[in-house]
Coordinates of all heavy atoms in Angstrom, one line a residue:
M716 N 2.9 -13.6 23.6 CA 3.4 -14.7 22.8 C 4.9 -14.5 22.7 O 5.4 -13.4 22.4 CB 2.7 -14.5 21.4 CG 3.4 -15.4 20.3 SD 2.8 -15.1 18.6 CE 1.2 -15.8 18.7
R717 N 5.6 -15.5 23.0 CA 7.1 -15.5 22.8 C 7.5 -16.4 21.7 O 6.8 -17.4 21.4 CB 7.8 -15.9 24.1 CG 7.5 -15.0 25.3 CD 8.2 -13.7 25.2 NE 9.6 -13.7 24.9 CZ 10.2 -12.6 24.4 NH1 9.6 -11.5 24.2 NH2 11.5 -12.7 24.1
G718 N 8.6 -16.2 21.1 CA 9.1 -17.0 20.0 C 10.0 -16.2 19.2 O 10.3 -15.0 19.5
P719 N 10.5 -16.7 18.1 CA 11.5 -16.0 17.3 C 10.9 -14.7 16.7 O 11.7 -13.7 16.6 CB 11.8 -17.0 16.1 CG 11.4 -18.3 16.6 CD 10.3 -18.1 17.6
A720 N 9.7 -14.7 16.4 CA 9.1 -13.5 15.8 C 8.9 -12.3 16.9 O 8.8 -11.2 16.5 CB 7.7 -13.8 15.2
S721 N 8.9 -12.7 18.1 CA 8.6 -11.6 19.2 C 9.7 -10.5 19.2 O 9.4 -9.4 19.6 CB 8.5 -12.3 20.5 OG 9.7 -12.8 20.9
G722 N 10.9 -10.8 18.7 CA 11.9 -9.8 18.7 C 11.7 -8.8 17.6 O 12.3 -7.7 17.6
L723 N 10.7 -9.0 16.7 CA 10.4 -8.1 15.6 C 9.1 -7.4 15.9 O 8.5 -6.7 15.1 CB 10.3 -8.8 14.3 CG 11.6 -9.3 13.8 CD1 11.4 -10.2 12.5 CD2 12.5 -8.2 13.5
Q724 N 8.5 -7.5 17.1 CA 7.3 -6.8 17.5 C 7.4 -5.3 17.3 O 8.4 -4.7 17.8 CB 6.9 -7.1 18.9 CG 5.5 -6.6 19.3 CD 5.0 -7.0 20.6 OE1 5.8 -7.7 21.4 NE2 3.8 -6.7 21.0
G725 N 6.5 -4.7 16.5 CA 6.6 -3.3 16.3 C 7.5 -2.9 15.1 O 7.5 -1.7 14.8
V726 N 8.2 -3.8 14.5 CA 9.1 -3.5 13.4 C 8.4 -3.8 12.1 O 7.8 -4.9 11.9 CB 10.4 -4.4 13.5 CG1 11.3 -4.2 12.3 CG2 11.1 -4.2 14.8
P727 N 8.4 -2.8 11.2 CA 7.7 -3.1 9.9 C 8.5 -4.2 9.1 O 9.7 -4.1 9.0 CB 7.9 -1.7 9.1 CG 8.2 -0.7 10.2 CD 8.9 -1.5 11.3
V728 N 7.7 -5.1 8.6 CA 8.3 -6.3 7.9 C 7.4 -6.6 6.7 O 6.2 -6.7 6.8 CB 8.4 -7.5 8.8 CG1 8.9 -8.7 8.0 CG2 9.3 -7.3 10.0
W729 N 8.0 -6.7 5.5 CA 7.3 -7.2 4.3 C 8.1 -8.4 3.8 O 9.2 -8.3 3.4 CB 7.3 -6.1 3.3 CG 6.3 -6.4 2.1 CD1 5.8 -7.6 1.7 CD2 5.8 -5.4 1.2 NE1 5.0 -7.4 0.6 CE2 5.0 -6.1 0.3 CE3 5.9 -4.0 1.1 CZ2 4.3 -5.4 -0.7 CZ3 5.3 -3.4 0.1 CH2 4.4 -4.1 -0.8
L730 N 7.4 -9.6 3.9 CA 8.0 -10.8 3.5 C 7.6 -11.1 2.1 O 6.5 -10.9 1.7 CB 7.6 -12.0 4.4 CG 7.9 -11.8 5.9 CD1 6.7 -11.4 6.7 CD2 8.5 -13.2 6.4
F731 N 8.5 -11.6 1.3 CA 8.3 -12.1 -0.1 C 8.8 -13.5 -0.1 O 9.9 -13.8 0.3 CB 9.1 -11.2 -1.1 CG 8.6 -9.8 -1.1 CD1 9.2 -8.9 -0.2 CD2 7.7 -9.4 -2.0 CE1 8.8 -7.5 -0.3 CE2 7.3 -8.0 -2.1 CZ 7.8 -7.1 -1.2
H732 N 8.0 -14.4 -0.8 CA 8.4 -15.8 -0.9 C 7.8 -16.5 -2.1 O 6.7 -16.2 -2.4 CB 8.0 -16.6 0.4 CG 8.9 -17.8 0.7 ND1 9.6 -17.9 1.8 CD2 9.2 -18.9 0.0 CE1 10.3 -19.0 1.8 NE2 10.0 -19.6 0.7
G733 N 8.5 -17.3 -2.7 CA 8.0 -18.1 -3.9 C 7.5 -19.4 -3.4 O 8.1 -20.1 -2.7
A734 N 6.3 -19.7 -3.8 CA 5.7 -21.0 -3.5 C 6.5 -22.2 -4.1 O 6.4 -23.3 -3.6 CB 4.2 -21.1 -4.0
N735 N 7.2 -21.9 -5.1 CA 8.0 -22.9 -5.8 C 9.5 -23.0 -5.2 O 10.3 -23.6 -5.8 CB 8.1 -22.7 -7.3 CG 8.7 -21.4 -7.7 OD1 8.6 -20.4 -7.0 ND2 9.4 -21.4 -8.8
D736 N 9.7 -22.4 -4.1 CA 11.1 -22.3 -3.5 C 11.5 -23.7 -3.1 O 10.9 -24.3 -2.3 CB 11.1 -21.4 -2.3 CG 12.5 -21.0 -1.8 OD1 13.4 -21.9 -2.0 OD2 12.6 -19.9 -1.3
A737 N 12.6 -24.2 -3.7 CA 13.1 -25.5 -3.4 C 14.1 -25.5 -2.3 O 14.5 -26.6 -1.8 CB 13.8 -26.1 -4.7
V738 N 14.5 -24.3 -1.8 CA 15.5 -24.2 -0.7 C 14.8 -24.1 0.6 O 15.1 -24.7 1.6 CB 16.4 -23.0 -1.0 CG1 17.4 -22.8 0.2 CG2 17.2 -23.2 -2.3
L739 N 13.8 -23.2 0.7 CA 13.1 -23.0 1.9 C 11.6 -23.0 1.7 O 11.1 -22.2 0.8 CB 13.5 -21.6 2.5 CG 12.9 -21.2 3.9 CD1 13.6 -22.1 4.9 CD2 13.2 -19.7 4.1
P740 N 10.8 -23.9 2.3 CA 9.4 -24.0 2.0 C 8.7 -22.7 2.3 O 9.0 -22.0 3.3 CB 8.9 -25.1 3.0 CG 10.2 -25.8 3.3 CD 11.3 -24.9 3.3
V741 N 7.7 -22.4 1.5 CA 6.9 -21.1 1.7 C 6.2 -21.1 3.0 O 5.9 -20.0 3.6 CB 5.9 -20.9 0.5 CG1 4.8 -21.9 0.5 CG2 5.4 -19.5 0.5
R742 N 5.9 -22.2 3.6 CA 5.2 -22.3 4.9 C 6.1 -21.6 6.0 O 5.5 -21.1 7.0 CB 4.9 -23.7 5.3 CG 6.0 -24.6 5.7 CD 5.6 -26.0 6.1 NE 6.8 -26.8 6.5 CZ 7.5 -27.5 5.7 NH1 7.2 -27.6 4.4 NH2 8.6 -28.2 6.1
C743 N 7.4 -21.5 5.8 CA 8.2 -20.8 6.8 C 7.9 -19.3 6.8 O 7.7 -18.8 7.9 CB 9.7 -21.0 6.5 SG 10.2 -22.7 6.6
S744 N 7.8 -18.7 5.7 CA 7.4 -17.3 5.6 C 5.9 -17.1 6.0 O 5.6 -16.1 6.6 CB 7.7 -16.7 4.3 OG 9.1 -16.6 4.1
E745 N 5.1 -18.0 5.6 CA 3.7 -17.9 6.0 C 3.5 -17.9 7.5 O 2.7 -17.1 8.1 CB 2.9 -19.1 5.4 CG 2.7 -18.9 3.9 CD 2.1 -20.2 3.2 OE1 2.2 -21.3 3.8 OE2 1.6 -20.0 2.1
G746 N 4.2 -18.8 8.2 CA 4.2 -18.9 9.6 C 4.7 -17.7 10.3 O 4.2 -17.2 11.3
T747 N 5.8 -17.2 9.8 CA 6.4 -16.0 10.3 C 5.5 -14.8 10.2 O 5.3 -14.0 11.1 CB 7.8 -15.7 9.6 OG1 8.7 -16.8 9.9 CG2 8.4 -14.4 10.2
A748 N 4.9 -14.7 9.0 CA 4.0 -13.6 8.7 C 2.8 -13.6 9.7 O 2.3 -12.6 10.3 CB 3.5 -13.6 7.3
A749 N 2.2 -14.8 9.9 CA 1.1 -15.0 10.8 C 1.5 -14.6 12.2 O 0.7 -13.9 12.9 CB 0.6 -16.4 10.7
A750 N 2.6 -15.1 12.7 CA 3.1 -14.7 14.0 C 3.3 -13.2 14.2 O 2.9 -12.7 15.2 CB 4.4 -15.5 14.3
L751 N 3.9 -12.6 13.2 CA 4.2 -11.2 13.3 C 2.8 -10.4 13.3 O 2.7 -9.4 14.0 CB 5.1 -10.7 12.2 CG 6.5 -11.1 12.3 CD1 7.3 -10.8 11.0 CD2 7.2 -10.5 13.5
K752 N 1.9 -10.8 12.4 CA 0.6 -10.1 12.4 C -0.1 -10.3 13.7 O -0.8 -9.3 14.2 CB -0.3 -10.7 11.2 CG 0.2 -10.2 9.9 CD -0.6 -10.8 8.8 CE -0.1 -10.3 7.4 NZ -0.9 -10.8 6.3
A753 N 0.0 -11.4 14.4 CA -0.6 -11.6 15.7 C 0.0 -10.6 16.7 O -0.7 -10.1 17.5 CB -0.5 -13.0 16.1
L754 N 1.3 -10.5 16.6 CA 2.0 -9.6 17.5 C 1.7 -8.1 17.3 O 1.6 -7.3 18.2 CB 3.5 -9.8 17.4 CG 4.1 -11.0 18.1 CD1 5.5 -11.2 17.7 CD2 3.9 -11.0 19.6
S755 N 1.5 -7.7 16.0 CA 1.3 -6.3 15.6 C -0.1 -5.8 15.8 O -0.4 -4.7 15.6 CB 1.8 -6.1 14.2 OG 0.9 -6.6 13.3
G756 N -1.1 -6.7 16.0 CA -2.4 -6.3 16.1 C -3.1 -6.1 14.8 O -4.2 -5.4 14.7
G757 N -2.5 -6.6 13.7 CA -3.2 -6.5 12.4 C -3.1 -5.2 11.7 O -3.8 -4.9 10.7
D758 N -2.1 -4.3 12.0 CA -2.0 -3.0 11.3 C -1.1 -3.2 10.1 O -0.8 -4.3 9.7 CB -1.5 -1.9 12.3 CG -0.2 -2.3 13.0 OD1 0.5 -3.3 12.5 OD2 0.2 -1.7 14.0
D759 N -0.6 -2.1 9.6 CA 0.2 -2.1 8.4 C 1.6 -2.5 8.6 O 2.4 -2.3 7.7 CB 0.0 -0.7 7.7 CG 0.7 -0.7 6.3 OD1 0.5 -1.6 5.5 OD2 1.4 0.3 6.1
L760 N 2.0 -2.9 9.7 CA 3.4 -3.2 10.0 C 3.9 -4.5 9.3 O 5.1 -4.7 9.1 CB 3.7 -3.3 11.5 CG 3.7 -2.1 12.3 CD1 4.0 -2.3 13.7 CD2 4.7 -1.1 11.7
V761 N 3.0 -5.4 9.0 CA 3.4 -6.7 8.4 C 2.6 -7.0 7.1 O 1.4 -6.9 7.1 CB 3.1 -7.9 9.4 CG1 3.5 -9.2 8.8 CG2 3.8 -7.6 10.7
R762 N 3.4 -7.3 6.1 CA 2.9 -7.6 4.8 C 3.5 -8.9 4.4 O 4.7 -9.2 4.7 CB 3.1 -6.5 3.8 CG 2.3 -5.3 4.0 CD 2.4 -4.4 2.8 NE 1.5 -3.2 3.0 CZ 1.3 -2.3 2.1 NH1 2.0 -2.3 1.0 NH2 0.5 -1.3 2.4
F763 N 2.8 -9.7 3.6 CA 3.4 -10.9 3.0 C 2.9 -11.1 1.6 O 1.7 -11.0 1.3 CB 2.9 -12.1 3.8 CG 3.3 -13.5 3.3 CD1 4.7 -13.8 3.2 CD2 2.4 -14.4 2.8 CE1 5.1 -15.0 2.6 CE2 2.8 -15.6 2.2 CZ 4.2 -15.9 2.2
T764 N 3.9 -11.3 0.7 CA 3.6 -11.5 -0.7 C 4.1 -12.9 -1.1 O 5.3 -13.2 -0.9 CB 4.3 -10.4 -1.6 OG1 3.7 -9.1 -1.2 CG2 4.0 -10.7 -3.1
R765 N 3.2 -13.7 -1.6 CA 3.5 -15.1 -2.0 C 3.5 -15.1 -3.5 O 2.4 -14.8 -4.1 CB 2.5 -16.0 -1.4 CG 2.7 -17.4 -1.9 CD 1.5 -18.3 -1.4 NE 1.5 -19.6 -2.1 CZ 1.4 -20.7 -1.5 NH1 1.4 -20.8 -0.2 NH2 1.4 -21.8 -2.2
Y766 N 4.6 -15.4 -4.1 CA 4.6 -15.6 -5.6 C 4.4 -17.0 -5.9 O 5.1 -17.9 -5.3 CB 6.0 -15.1 -6.2 CG 6.3 -13.7 -5.9 CD1 7.4 -13.3 -5.1 CD2 5.6 -12.7 -6.5 CE1 7.7 -12.0 -4.9 CE2 5.9 -11.3 -6.3 CZ 6.9 -11.0 -5.5 OH 7.2 -9.7 -5.2
E767 N 3.5 -17.3 -6.7 CA 3.3 -18.7 -7.1 C 4.5 -19.3 -7.8 O 4.9 -20.4 -7.6 CB 2.1 -18.9 -8.0 CG 0.8 -18.7 -7.2 CD 0.7 -19.6 -6.0 OE1 0.9 -20.8 -6.0 OE2 0.3 -19.0 -4.9
T768 N 5.2 -18.5 -8.6 CA 6.4 -18.9 -9.3 C 7.5 -17.8 -9.2 O 7.4 -16.8 -9.9 CB 6.1 -19.2 -10.8 OG1 5.1 -20.1 -10.9 CG2 7.3 -19.8 -11.5
A769 N 8.4 -18.0 -8.3 CA 9.5 -17.0 -8.2 C 10.6 -17.5 -9.1 O 10.7 -18.7 -9.4 CB 10.0 -16.9 -6.8
P770 N 11.5 -16.6 -9.6 CA 12.6 -17.1 -10.4 C 13.7 -17.8 -9.7 O 13.8 -17.7 -8.4 CB 13.1 -15.7 -11.0 CG 12.7 -14.7 -10.1 CD 11.5 -15.2 -9.4
D771 N 14.6 -18.4 -10.4 CA 15.7 -19.1 -9.9 C 16.8 -18.0 -9.7 O 16.9 -17.1 -10.5 CB 16.3 -20.2 -10.8 CG 15.2 -21.2 -11.1 OD1 14.2 -21.3 -10.4 OD2 15.4 -22.0 -12.1
P772 N 17.7 -18.1 -8.7 CA 18.7 -17.2 -8.6 C 19.7 -17.3 -9.7 O 20.1 -18.5 -10.1 CB 19.4 -17.5 -7.2 CG 18.5 -18.5 -6.6 CD 17.6 -19.1 -7.6
P773 N 20.2 -16.3 -10.3 CA 21.2 -16.4 -11.4 C 22.4 -17.1 -11.0 O 23.0 -16.9 -9.9 CB 21.5 -14.9 -11.8 CG 20.3 -14.1 -11.3 CD 19.8 -14.9 -10.1
G774 N 22.8 -18.2 -11.7 CA 23.9 -19.0 -11.4 C 23.7 -20.1 -10.4 O 24.6 -20.9 -10.1
Y775 N 22.5 -20.2 -9.9 CA 22.1 -21.3 -9.0 C 20.9 -22.0 -9.5 O 19.8 -21.9 -8.8 CB 21.9 -20.7 -7.6 CG 23.2 -20.1 -7.0 CD1 23.5 -18.8 -7.2 CD2 24.1 -20.9 -6.3 CE1 24.6 -18.3 -6.7 CE2 25.2 -20.4 -5.8 CZ 25.5 -19.1 -6.0 OH 26.7 -18.5 -5.5
P776 N 20.9 -22.8 -10.6 CA 19.7 -23.4 -11.1 C 19.1 -24.5 -10.2 O 18.0 -24.8 -10.3 CB 20.2 -24.0 -12.4 CG 21.7 -24.2 -12.2 CD 22.1 -23.0 -11.3
H777 N 19.9 -25.0 -9.2 CA 19.4 -26.0 -8.3 C 18.6 -25.3 -7.2 O 17.9 -26.0 -6.5 CB 20.6 -26.7 -7.6 CG 21.5 -25.8 -6.8 ND1 22.4 -25.0 -7.4 CD2 21.6 -25.6 -5.5 CE1 23.0 -24.3 -6.5 NE2 22.5 -24.7 -5.3
A778 N 18.6 -24.0 -7.1 CA 17.8 -23.3 -6.1 C 16.5 -22.8 -6.7 O 16.2 -21.6 -6.5 CB 18.7 -22.2 -5.5
T779 N 15.8 -23.6 -7.3 CA 14.5 -23.3 -8.0 C 13.7 -22.4 -7.1 O 13.4 -22.7 -5.9 CB 13.8 -24.5 -8.4 OG1 14.6 -25.3 -9.2 CG2 12.5 -24.2 -9.1
G780 N 13.2 -21.3 -7.6 CA 12.3 -20.4 -7.0 C 12.8 -19.6 -5.8 O 12.0 -19.0 -5.0
H781 N 14.1 -19.6 -5.5 CA 14.6 -19.0 -4.3 C 15.0 -17.5 -4.5 O 15.6 -17.0 -3.6 CB 15.8 -19.8 -3.8 CG 16.3 -19.5 -2.4 ND1 15.4 -19.7 -1.3 CD2 17.4 -19.0 -2.0 CE1 16.1 -19.3 -0.3 NE2 17.3 -18.9 -0.6
A782 N 14.7 -17.0 -5.6 CA 15.0 -15.6 -5.9 C 13.8 -14.6 -5.9 O 13.6 -13.8 -6.8 CB 15.8 -15.4 -7.2
S783 N 13.0 -14.7 -4.8 CA 11.8 -13.9 -4.7 C 12.3 -12.4 -4.6 O 11.4 -11.5 -4.8 CB 10.9 -14.3 -3.6 OG 11.6 -14.2 -2.4
T784 N 13.5 -12.1 -4.3 CA 14.0 -10.8 -4.2 C 13.9 -10.1 -5.6 O 13.7 -8.8 -5.6 CB 15.5 -10.7 -3.7 OG1 16.2 -11.6 -4.6 CG2 15.6 -11.1 -2.3
I785 N 14.0 -10.8 -6.7 CA 14.0 -10.2 -8.0 C 12.6 -9.5 -8.2 O 12.6 -8.3 -8.5 CB 14.4 -11.2 -9.1 CG1 15.8 -11.6 -8.9 CG2 14.1 -10.6 -10.5 CD1 16.3 -12.8 -9.8
P786 N 11.5 -10.2 -8.1 CA 10.2 -9.5 -8.3 C 9.9 -8.6 -7.1 O 9.2 -7.6 -7.3 CB 9.2 -10.7 -8.4 CG 9.8 -11.9 -7.8 CD 11.3 -11.7 -8.0
A787 N 10.4 -8.9 -5.9 CA 10.2 -8.0 -4.7 C 10.7 -6.7 -5.0 O 10.1 -5.6 -4.8 CB 10.8 -8.6 -3.5
Y788 N 12.0 -6.6 -5.5 CA 12.6 -5.3 -5.7 C 11.9 -4.5 -6.9 O 12.0 -3.3 -7.0 CB 14.1 -5.4 -6.0 CG 14.9 -5.8 -4.8 CD1 16.0 -6.7 -4.9 CD2 14.6 -5.4 -3.5 CE1 16.8 -7.1 -3.8 CE2 15.3 -5.8 -2.4 CZ 16.4 -6.6 -2.6 OH 17.2 -7.0 -1.5
A789 N 11.2 -5.3 -7.7 CA 10.5 -4.6 -8.8 C 9.1 -4.2 -8.4 O 8.3 -3.6 -9.2 CB 10.4 -5.6 -10.0
T790 N 8.7 -4.4 -7.1 CA 7.4 -4.1 -6.6 C 7.4 -2.6 -6.3 O 8.0 -2.1 -5.4 CB 7.1 -4.9 -5.3 OG1 7.1 -6.3 -5.7 CG2 5.7 -4.5 -4.8
E791 N 6.7 -1.8 -7.1 CA 6.7 -0.4 -7.0 C 6.2 0.1 -5.6 O 6.7 1.1 -5.1 CB 5.8 0.3 -8.1 CG 6.5 0.2 -9.4 CD 5.7 1.0 -10.5 OE1 5.1 2.0 -10.1 OE2 5.8 0.5 -11.6
A792 N 5.2 -0.6 -5.0 CA 4.7 -0.2 -3.7 C 5.7 -0.4 -2.6 O 5.5 0.1 -1.5 CB 3.4 -1.0 -3.4
L793 N 6.8 -1.2 -2.8 CA 7.7 -1.5 -1.7 C 8.4 -0.2 -1.2 O 8.5 0.0 0.0 CB 8.7 -2.5 -2.2 CG 9.9 -2.8 -1.2 CD1 9.4 -3.4 0.1 CD2 10.9 -3.7 -1.9
Y794 N 8.9 0.6 -2.1 CA 9.7 1.7 -1.7 C 8.9 2.8 -0.9 O 9.4 3.3 0.1 CB 10.5 2.3 -2.9 CG 11.3 1.2 -3.5 CD1 10.9 0.4 -4.5 CD2 12.5 0.8 -2.8 CE1 11.7 -0.6 -5.0 CE2 13.3 -0.2 -3.3 CZ 12.9 -1.0 -4.4 OH 13.7 -2.0 -4.8
P795 N 7.7 3.2 -1.4 CA 6.9 4.1 -0.6 C 6.6 3.5 0.8 O 6.5 4.2 1.8 CB 5.7 4.4 -1.4 CG 6.0 4.0 -2.8 CD 7.1 3.0 -2.7
W796 N 6.3 2.2 0.8 CA 6.0 1.5 2.1 C 7.2 1.6 3.0 O 7.0 1.9 4.2 CB 5.6 0.1 1.8 CG 5.2 -0.6 3.1 CD1 3.9 -0.6 3.7 CD2 6.0 -1.5 3.9 NE1 3.9 -1.4 4.8 CE2 5.2 -1.9 4.9 CE3 7.3 -1.9 3.8 CZ2 5.7 -2.8 5.9 CZ3 7.8 -2.7 4.8 CH2 7.0 -3.1 5.8
L797 N 8.4 1.3 2.5 CA 9.6 1.4 3.3 C 9.8 2.8 3.9 O 10.1 3.0 5.1 CB 10.8 1.0 2.5 CG 11.0 -0.5 2.3 CD1 12.1 -0.7 1.3 CD2 11.2 -1.3 3.6
L798 N 9.6 3.8 3.0 CA 9.9 5.2 3.4 C 8.8 5.7 4.3 O 9.0 6.8 4.9 CB 10.1 6.0 2.2 CG 11.3 5.7 1.3 CD1 11.3 6.5 0.0 CD2 12.6 6.0 2.1
S799 N 7.7 5.0 4.4 CA 6.6 5.5 5.2 C 6.8 5.1 6.7 O 6.0 5.6 7.6 CB 5.2 5.0 4.8 OG 5.1 3.6 5.1
H800 N 7.8 4.4 7.0 CA 8.1 3.9 8.3 C 9.5 4.5 8.8 O 10.4 4.7 8.0 CB 8.2 2.4 8.4 CG 6.9 1.7 8.1 ND1 6.6 1.4 6.8 CD2 5.9 1.4 8.8 CE1 5.4 0.8 6.8 NE2 4.9 0.9 8.0
S801 N 9.6 4.8 10.0 CA 10.8 5.3 10.6 C 11.0 4.8 12.0 O 10.1 4.4 12.6 CB 10.8 6.9 10.6 OG 9.8 7.3 11.4
K802 N 12.3 4.8 12.4 CA 12.6 4.3 13.7 C 12.2 5.3 14.7 O 12.5 6.5 14.5 CB 14.1 4.1 13.7 CG 14.6 3.5 15.0 CD 16.1 3.2 15.0 CE 16.6 2.7 16.3 NZ 18.1 2.5 16.3
P803 N 11.5 4.9 15.8 CA 11.1 5.9 16.8 C 12.3 6.5 17.4 O 13.4 5.9 17.5 CB 10.4 5.0 17.8 CG 10.1 3.7 17.2 CD 11.1 3.5 16.1
E804 N 12.1 7.8 17.9 CA 13.2 8.5 18.5 C 13.6 7.7 19.8 O 12.7 7.3 20.6 CB 12.8 9.9 18.8 CG 12.6 10.8 17.6 CD 13.9 11.0 16.9 OE1 15.0 11.1 17.5 OE2 13.9 11.0 15.6
A805 N 14.9 7.6 20.1 CA 15.3 7.0 21.3 C 15.1 8.0 22.5 O 15.3 9.2 22.3 CB 16.8 6.6 21.2
A806 N 14.7 7.4 23.6 CA 14.5 8.3 24.8 C 15.9 8.8 25.2 O 16.9 8.1 25.3 CB 13.9 7.5 25.9
S807 N 15.9 10.1 25.5 CA 17.2 10.7 25.9 C 17.5 10.4 27.4 O 16.7 10.6 28.2 CB 17.1 12.2 25.7 OG 18.3 12.8 26.2
G808 N 18.7 9.8 27.6 CA 19.1 9.5 28.9 C 19.9 10.6 29.5 O 20.5 10.4 30.6
L809 N 20.0 11.7 28.9 CA 20.9 12.8 29.4 C 20.2 13.7 30.3 O 19.2 14.1 30.2 CB 21.5 13.5 28.2 CG 22.4 12.7 27.2 CD1 22.8 13.5 26.1 CD2 23.6 12.1 28.0

């Protein structure tokens, strides 16, 4: 499978998106998550959290629901999940 998501094959990704996002439709993250899960073989590398109501970014009331980062950063499981992954060692060319 080739496409924009193929460049992230094997990279841990956790997507967060608000269903009420007025800037970017949630289907964009849903499609990306589905494509990445298909590439990763369904392991723990790809997670997707959909908030039914994400907050508005402070100072940008016209961007309704576009601040899913606020509840995402408050997700306690995020930090252990991030730290459970590491970049593979590069092959030594020396």
Side-chain angles (χ1 to χ4, degrees):
M716 172 187 285
R717 294 294 309 161
S721 64
L723 292 173
Q724 185 173 7
V726 176
V728 176
W729 192 340
L730 299 103
F731 296 86
H732 206 120
N735 64 324
D736 192 329
V738 177
L739 186 69
V741 71
R742 71 177 181 272
C743 295
S744 288
E745 290 170 337
T747 300
L751 289 171
K752 285 180 181 182
L754 286 171
S755 73
D758 56 16
D759 187 45
L760 288 179
V761 181
R762 290 188 176 184
F763 175 64
T764 299
R765 174 188 168 128
Y766 299 114
E767 290 307 313
T768 306
D771 302 344
Y775 295 90
H777 63 283
T779 302
H781 195 61
S783 61
T784 52
I785 295 171
Y788 291 145
T790 301
E791 288 186 32
L793 174 62
Y794 300 98
W796 183 84
L797 285 171
L798 294 172
S799 74
H800 297 90
S801 62
K802 184 176 178 181
E804 292 295 323
S807 176
L809 300 176

